[in-house]
Structure formats: C-alpha cells, structure tokens
C-alpha cells in the first residue's frame, strides 16, 4: 500500500488553527506546579513550613504524574484527547483552588499550621501532578494524530512547549511581589490556576473531532495479472507479507509481556533519578542546603 501524495497535504483551516492553539495552550500552561521555587520562600515565611515539608509538597506533584499515565492513555484510546483535557481542567481547578486557599491561612508562632492543613496542601499538589499527565496526553496525542506525516516535528514542538511551560508561567511573577520582596504565593497560584483551568476547558471543544484519514492506494488486483498470463508467467506467486492484525490488548496481556517489565524497570531508573534531581533543584530554590 502507498500513500497518495496528492491527498496527504493538510489544508490550513480555522478549525485546524484553533486546534493547534489548544495544543500549544495546554502545553504552555500544564507545568505550573514546577514554578514552586518562586512561591516557596513566601510559603516558608508566612506558613512557617520547614524544608522537609516543602520537599514533601513538591514530591507529591512528581508522584501524581506517574500512577495515572496508563489511565490517561486508555482514555485517549476509548474516548479521545478532549476527555483528557476535560479531566485536566477539572483537576487543575480543584488543585490550584485548594492550594491557594490553604496558602492564605493565617499562621502565627502560637497557632502554627495544623497537620490537616498541611496534608490538604500535599493532596492538592498531588492533584496538580495528575492534571499534568492528562494535559500531556491531550496535547501530545492530538499533535501526533493531526500530523501523521510529521509526527516527529509535531510532537517535538509540543514537547518543547511543555518543557518551557515553567519559564513562560514564571515571567509574570514580578506582578505578584509582596511587601517583603517575595512572590505572593496565594495571588500567583490563583493566576496560574485560573489560566490553566480556562485554557484546558476551552481545549475541550478545540480538541474534539478526528483528523481526515489519509488516502491509501491499494496494490493492483491479481485478477489483471491472471487475465494476462502466458507461458512465461510463474505458476507460484511469492506471497506478500501481510500486516499483522491488531488484537485487543488487556491489562493482563500487558502484565504478562516480559518487555513491559524491562521498560518499567528502565523507566523507573531514569525517572527516579531525574525526579530526585528536580527535588534538589526545588530545595535549592527554596533557599535550603
């Protein structure tokens, strides 16, 4: 089979441009939790949080990304990428809202932050990690499906926007400086949370719809060959390799595959080391050795 070169070019339409803006918007606003070094000095000052407590909050966001990755992938296959954007909008709205509410808690040396309030802050940042992975899947898989002939370029640009998300979100942080010279955590979190929630909510409508299918030209039928056969035509025709049919995969089938556990071990080793490096970075940003 071959692709029809006359039908593989995508026509630029307002619908396609809007979908590209939704992909970029989701990517840029997804990783607001990684701007934690900006707000950590204010949290340490106003809420009197220790280094261990600040590290625990950040670790909750990192942990929240991984357990739900398979769920997000299953949702993309069964429903669509717009559903991941909807869940991300919901989770971001709750996570950022609760964290901003707790960041405004009045704390004094006589009335320190309660253990329950701290656990709520950890749980809300855990929800931000969940929202990040659903946002990641909504943008990455939409880009791959919309541009099947340029998968590498489309996903590469999207991945770059995800990586630059903390940078873009930290640019307006100077607008939220407090009297002490630190970024006011509550105001900044409200800004980032509102932006991320609104963007992913709009993307629910922008990411709907499937891309137009590629036109595939089938090889010529063997009937024409048989009708023009002569004494020099071979009687045995070499069979062409058939495409492997797609079988439905279940969780049990995946768990029985040995290659899955190899990938699981390598991913755990790589992601574990990078996550530890991120924790050290956040601790340094908070002013702790």
């Amino acid at each position: 089979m071959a692709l029809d070169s006359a039908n593989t070019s995508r026509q630029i339409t307002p619908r396609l441009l809007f979908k590209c803006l939704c992909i970029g918007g989701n990517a840029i606003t997804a990783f607001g939790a990684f701007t934690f070094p900006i707000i950590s000095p204010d949290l340490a000052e106003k809420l009197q949080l220790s280094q261990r407590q600040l590290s625990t909050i950040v670790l909750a966001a990192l942990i929240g990304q991984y357990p739900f990755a398979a769920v997000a992938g299953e949702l993309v296959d069964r429903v669509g990428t717009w559903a991941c954007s909807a869940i991300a909008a919901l989770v971001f709205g709750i996570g950022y809202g609760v964290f901003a509410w707790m960041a405004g808690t009045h704390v004094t040396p006589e009335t320190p932050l309660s253990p329950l309030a701290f656990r709520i802050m950890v749980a809300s940042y855990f929800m931000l990690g969940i929202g990040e992975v659903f946002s990641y899947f909504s943008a990455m898989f939409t880009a791959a499906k919309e541009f099947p002939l340029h998968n590498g370029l489309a996903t590469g640009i999207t991945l770059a926007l995800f990586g630059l998300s903390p940078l873009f979100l930290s640019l307006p942080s100077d607008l939220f400086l407090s009297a002490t010279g630190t970024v006011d955590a509550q105001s900044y979190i409200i800004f980032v949370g509102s932006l991320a929630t609104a963007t992913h909510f709009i993307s629910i409508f922008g990411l709907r719809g499937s891309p137009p299918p590629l036109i595939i030209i089938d090889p010529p039928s063997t009937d024409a060959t048989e009708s023009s056969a002569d004494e020099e035509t071979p009687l045995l025709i070499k069979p062409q390799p058939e495409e492997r049919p797609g079988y439905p995969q279940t969780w049990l089938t995946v768990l029985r595959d040995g290659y899955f556990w190899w990938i699981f071990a390598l991913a755990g080793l790589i992601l574990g080391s990078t996550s530890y490096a991120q924790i050290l970075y956040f601790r340094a940003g908070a002013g702790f050795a």
Side-chain angles (χ1 to χ4, degrees):
M1 292 186 293
L3 296 176
D4 186 0
S5 59
N7 295 277
T8 54
S9 60
R10 292 294 307 278
Q11 183 179 4
I12 299 178
T13 61
R15 176 70 178 177
L16 180 60
L17 290 176
F18 179 55
K19 184 169 290 190
C20 292
L21 290 176
C22 291
I23 294 173
N26 281 13
I28 290 177
T29 61
F31 287 170
F34 290 161
T35 60
F36 189 79
I38 297 178
I39 62 174
S40 56
D42 187 67
L43 294 175
E45 177 184 352
K46 293 182 179 180
L47 301 183
Q48 300 178 4
L49 296 177
S50 64
Q51 175 267 327
R52 179 172 295 182
Q53 289 175 316
L54 292 173
S55 300
T56 302
I57 294 175
V58 176
L59 184 61
L62 296 176
I63 295 176
Q65 300 178 46
Y66 307 124
F68 293 90
V71 178
E74 185 74 8
L75 191 64
V76 169
D77 294 335
R78 294 185 177 273
V79 182
T81 55
W82 67 268
C84 288
S85 186
I87 293 179
L90 176 63
V91 174
F92 281 150
I94 298 175
Y96 279 115
V98 173
F99 192 85
W101 173 48
M102 299 307 300
T105 304
H106 182 67
V107 174
T108 62
E110 293 77 17
T111 58
L113 188 70
S114 65
L116 177 59
F118 174 70
R119 293 189 180 97
I120 293 176
M121 296 182 70
V122 173
S124 61
Y125 236 69
F126 179 82
M127 295 185 67
L128 297 185
I130 298 176
E132 288 171 357
V133 71
F134 278 95
S135 174
Y136 183 88
F137 274 65
S138 69
M140 290 292 290
F141 282 95
T142 301
K145 291 180 179 180
E146 286 294 326
F147 304 96
L149 298 182
H150 306 280
N151 276 331
L153 179 61
T155 56
I157 294 176
T158 306
L159 185 60
L161 292 177
F162 272 108
L164 294 174
S165 173
L167 174 62
F168 283 112
L169 294 177
S170 63
L171 292 178
S173 61
D174 291 341
L175 302 176
F176 304 95
L177 293 178
S178 62
T180 59
T182 60
V183 177
D184 184 71
Q186 186 179 34
S187 302
Y188 180 75
I189 286 296
I190 291 176
F191 164 74
V192 174
S194 301
L195 181 62
T197 304
T199 301
H200 285 79
F201 179 78
I202 295 174
S203 296
I204 297 175
F205 309 97
L207 300 185
R208 281 181 175 271
S210 302
L214 295 177
I215 306 299
I216 300 178
I217 302 177
D218 294 326
S221 175
T222 56
D223 297 338
T225 305
E226 294 176 356
S227 60
S228 60
D230 53 20
E231 63 276 5
E232 296 182 356
T233 302
L235 298 179
L236 298 178
I237 301 177
K238 183 178 180 181
Q240 298 294 329
E242 297 181 356
E243 295 183 0
R244 182 179 179 183
Y247 296 98
Q249 296 288 332
T250 63
W251 285 101
L252 187 59
T253 305
V254 174
L255 294 178
R256 288 177 177 175
D257 192 343
Y259 290 103
F260 167 78
W261 294 107
W262 277 105
I263 297 176
F264 181 83
L266 291 175
L269 179 62
I270 296 174
L271 295 177
S273 59
T274 54
S275 298
Y276 181 72
Q278 287 179 329
I279 293 175
L280 294 179
Y281 168 73
F282 290 133
R283 290 175 60 181
F288 298 104

